[in-house]
Amino acid sequence: MAEKGDLKEFLADSKKLIGKEAPDVANGISVVDWTSIQKFCAALGDVNPLYNDMAAGLGNVYNTLIGPPGIVLSARTPNSGASYEEKDYGLRKFTVGVSAQWEDVVRLGERISNSLTVTGVNEGEKWGSRDTAVVESTAKYTTIHEGAIAEVKGTSTLVSFNTGEEWLEDRDIHQYADEEIAALEKDLDAIPPHRGKVPLYWSNVNEGDKLPTLVKGPVEYNSMELWEVAMAQPTTASLGPVAHRQVLSRPGQRTVNPTTGWPYWYLEQTFKDLLSVRALGFRSPVVRGLQRFSLATQVITNWMGDLGFLRSVSLSLPNHYLYGDTMWVGGEVVRKFSENVGDAQYNAVEVKLSAKNQLGQTLVEGTGVVYLPEKGFMVGLPVGNPWW
Amino acid sequence: MTTTGETFESIINEFRETSKEMIGEEVHEGYPLDEGLYHGMKQPFEVDGPPFQSPWVLTEKAATAYALHIGDDNPLYTDPEYAKTGPYGCQITPGTALIMARTPMWHGPEELWRDRPGGIPMANFHSGTAWEFYDVLRVGTGFRTTSKAKEVIEKPGSRGNLFFLISDVNYWDMGGDLLGKCYGTLIMVPREEMGTGRAMSVERLGERMMYEREAGKYDEAKSKEILDLLEKATPRGKDTLYWEDVKEGDKLPTFIVPPWTDQDWSVTGFIRNGAARGYAFEAGYNARKYKLLAGFAGNAYTHPVTRWPWAHGEEHGDALMAAYRGQALPFDWGGQRSQIPQALMSNWMGDEGFIRRLQMALRRPMYYGDVGIYNGEIVKKFKEVQKGEPGPGAVDGERTYYAVGIKYEGRNHEDQVFVQGTSCVYLPSREGGKVELPIPHIALPEAVPYETFYRDWY
């Protein structure tokens, strides 16, 4: 029996898992079918036909519908908490950083294999007066024939919390004033459509160019539910008696529902549940870090057009993105360069991404790299070993 | 939403008349799968019909996911290796999975309830299903379906008349064999406080709730009672239950669903085929404001806390939006509850039993925190002869089946009945042998009317 809030035992147990397959994250989808792609797009509010429309897909350079880069997360979420589920350590887990690199697009019907390895376990920075632990886990995604698709590293912070203690975040649902509502409508109406089939050539991009800002909010229950569905985790896809047995087998995920008193409540579902989120340490539901990451990458994919390729994104996810919050995400080109990978040369652009909420708090900081086409030169995929 | 000259009464009258005009017509719910398609996107699935082909194919993974999402981890449904040694030699899934191939619900004319910008001032409740099964659902099965408007019944309610809309749905496999039929019951409740659209003004929110309820509370003693029942609710499995060994008055072992959770509602989105339930963020905003989504495009709600006027109206899952449906708490989806009671029967009957008929009437919502305690009793023991015919879509022959009629109900923690229904289960018999499937039937069995399946339908 672990002592609640004592990170030492958790750290000791978790360090034994470094280099091993993460025991706490199940597989999600194994086939990238239309429904999986559509659900992922729905959760982001991404209506780019490249990802949504079969007819548009057939007319593109990939000869079929593809998924947004983040679709790999549906196969396995890189948010392991190492030994977090094994004992009741009294911890809460949040994704605070994500770094991804892609090698190829994900095509409709692709069968995905994956591995998720615990790659780091350390003490973290203070969360208020609380000690924290940090777990890094790295997912590798391949086709079933071992063609590389992507590698994504997630960083999770684990912090102790028991219901009734000082909040992890003491903030209520934001109420928008009339002028805020008017401004928000204006910003939403100003979002330009995705670039689509009109190529964005590398030579037409300049350092200092701004990417169109996306407006993500106000966050609703539906926004979070769609994400949960898109992630296809079997532990959140079962009902009643089956879900209960799953909770019993995961002591670290078990808590007491603060509304009903039921002592076998699954912590994962507190994130989007207004009536139990207090058990997570919050007054209102919390958007998952991986969703925040994926929303931010959409700024780049909307801008780069169908022929662009998102090579990498590395983001930190400070503060919290809550139910009712709005996130404004923007980007700026900070570097143009060429790079050689394997047999191929790529025309690359580095983009700085940043996001703030309605209170001015930073929600996203980081960069992404995009490979863009040039007249007469396509982006060769898979990266480093183009095959046409 | 107000269209010039329209009033609450005129919309309800139009609904009444146009619903009746639809009787006998194919219902376009579930097919073509255009609900959820964003403006400009093409339908990705086969749309020719009726019968319409379902995009939902019963792979091993789909079969398992289906069973788990209705709270049933019976290995016959979830463990391919176990199932290989069972009576069918392969994994099967509960017959109620047919609902995934097509919803049996009919909400009336889609140009009103679904496509009219702003919707209509009626709250919709999936309030029952009556199933007839002719065979088990084996892994690898694909589906074709038809769904016809069957009956419109108007009944008085405490605050005006209610509309009961009954459908007649047929489910075939891709070879044309009839797997089952379903008669869906959907109640449309006119609500004056909604005005002339589906989303009432936020100022009227909470004015006339359909039920006043608080979430259930569980102390240690109550929790232990639930745990005890959970531990006992296990499938009978390979231990054959013979018809000769049961008698009228026998009680079925209790099946229990622990306090209802947010996840219990969300699981319905996981298994759903076709498009997701709408789009989030700017796509959802544009869909609601500029009507860019097929179906429900103009239904925008004002959020009672954020004050955002273009909110998505997630009445089932969002505790702050449930009042838009007149509910005090998040509540379940009747279509999902229509699938859960099968476990009461299948846990009891064992691997060799076969649910031939399963009817349920939903009496009140199951709310966040409600426990679902399902109990049943054998009220009839009889033999039944099923007769088929030769020809396409039919199964020829004549067989005697050894049947029991079961009356069951589900009660919540406050001892209120939230579902009641009947079932007919065929059991293996020492005299008659195993339950031979498929059940002989004519090519197009007649629909059972509401007045017949509504009560004592064994």
Side-chain angles (χ1 to χ4, degrees), chain B residues 33-322:
Chain B
L33 285 165
D34 52 0
E35 282 174 34
L37 282 187
Y38 210 76
H39 180 73
M41 290 177 196
K42 315 291 187 303
Q43 169 59 251
F45 296 109
E46 170 71 55
V47 294
D48 289 342
F52 295 108
Q53 180 186 336
S54 171
W56 197 65
V57 179
L58 198 60
T59 61
E60 267 184 18
K61 200 168 181 180
T64 303
Y66 173 77
L68 297 181
H69 113 288
I70 58 168
D72 193 342
D73 51 8
N74 186 331
L76 190 63
Y77 308 139
T78 58
D79 182 347
E81 291 307 311
Y82 172 93
K84 275 182 196 168
T85 64
Y88 309 107
C90 66
Q91 185 181 356
I92 64 169
T93 205
T96 49
L98 291 173
I99 205 170
M100 305 311 305
R102 188 162 187 184
T103 171
M105 288 301 106
W106 170 43
H107 292 70
E110 57 266 25
E111 61 270 23
L112 278 181
W113 70 272
R114 191 187 66 187
D115 298 337
R116 180 178 184 268
I120 56 175
M122 303 176 91
N124 49 298
F125 294 94
H126 180 136
S127 61
T129 48
W131 297 93
E132 291 191 79
F133 301 112
Y134 297 93
D135 205 347
V136 292
L137 305 183
R138 295 169 176 83
V139 160
T141 301
F143 304 94
R144 282 200 174 95
T145 69
T146 62
S147 176
K148 287 191 163 54
K150 181 71 172 52
E151 298 174 75
V152 178
I153 301 165
E154 206 166 336
K155 291 187 181 185
S158 59
R159 291 171 181 168
N161 280 4
L162 313 174
F163 293 88
F164 287 56
L165 304 176
I166 316 299
S167 66
D168 171 20
V169 190
N170 288 283
Y171 300 90
W172 294 275
D173 67 15
M174 298 305 285
D177 290 335
L178 184 66
L179 298 167
K181 287 176 69 72
C182 186
Y183 316 111
T185 304
L186 183 125
I187 299 181
M188 293 292 268
V189 184
R191 289 178 65 81
E192 181 275 334
E193 63 272 30
M194 287 179 175
T196 56
R198 179 64 176 74
M200 72 180 84
S201 153
V202 70
E203 287 77 21
R204 299 194 70 174
L205 205 58
E207 195 176 281
R208 291 174 66 192
M209 302 295 276
M210 295 181 74
Y211 297 96
E212 293 289 351
R213 271 288 305 276
E214 286 187 1
K217 300 278 191 292
Y218 300 94
D219 57 18
E220 198 177 334
K222 279 188 188 171
S223 299
K224 186 170 183 316
E225 281 175 31
I226 295 166
L227 285 184
D228 288 345
L229 288 171
L230 277 164
E231 280 172 21
K232 288 175 192 161
T234 52
R236 182 184 186 92
K238 294 183 191 299
D239 178 15
T240 304
L241 178 64
Y242 289 102
W243 183 78
E244 287 82 357
D245 294 338
V246 302
K247 59 183 184 305
E248 290 179 12
D250 282 358
K251 302 278 196 295
L252 277 62
T254 299
F255 179 76
I256 182 166
V257 175
W260 191 258
T261 69
D262 176 67
Q263 179 174 312
D264 289 339
W265 152 245
S266 304
V267 291
T268 60
F270 282 83
I271 193 86
R272 180 183 164 94
N273 60 23
R277 284 196 277 255
Y279 276 82
F281 299 110
E282 69 271 28
Y285 164 79
N286 286 326
R288 291 186 282 279
K289 188 172 182 182
Y290 301 110
K291 304 173 182 52
L292 296 184
L293 196 69
F296 314 107
N299 291 12
Y301 296 66
T302 298
H303 194 284
V305 176
T306 68
R307 301 181 67 246
W308 179 238
W310 301 103
H312 179 269
E314 182 41 81
E315 299 159 343
H316 281 281
D318 189 331
L320 291 170
M321 304 301 269

Side-chain angles (χ1 to χ4, degrees), chain A residues 228-295:
Chain A
E228 194 171 279
V229 167
M231 289 301 96
Q233 280 293 294
T235 46
T236 52
S238 55
L239 177 136
V242 177
H244 173 73
R245 286 189 271 280
Q246 289 172 343
V247 174
L248 291 182
S249 67
R250 293 172 171 78
Q253 289 272 25
R254 180 184 148 188
T255 190
V256 178
N257 182 309
T259 297
T260 66
W262 177 243
Y264 299 94
W265 199 253
Y266 188 42
L267 252 181
E268 286 296 310
Q269 62 175 302
T270 61
F271 277 85
K272 77 172 198 300
D273 179 13
L274 279 155
L275 298 177
S276 69
V277 70
R278 282 176 285 148
L280 190 66
F282 289 73
R283 293 181 182 274
S284 57
V286 185
V287 174
R288 305 292 184 134
L290 290 170
Q291 185 176 18
R292 205 190 319 176
F293 167 82
S294 300
L295 290 166

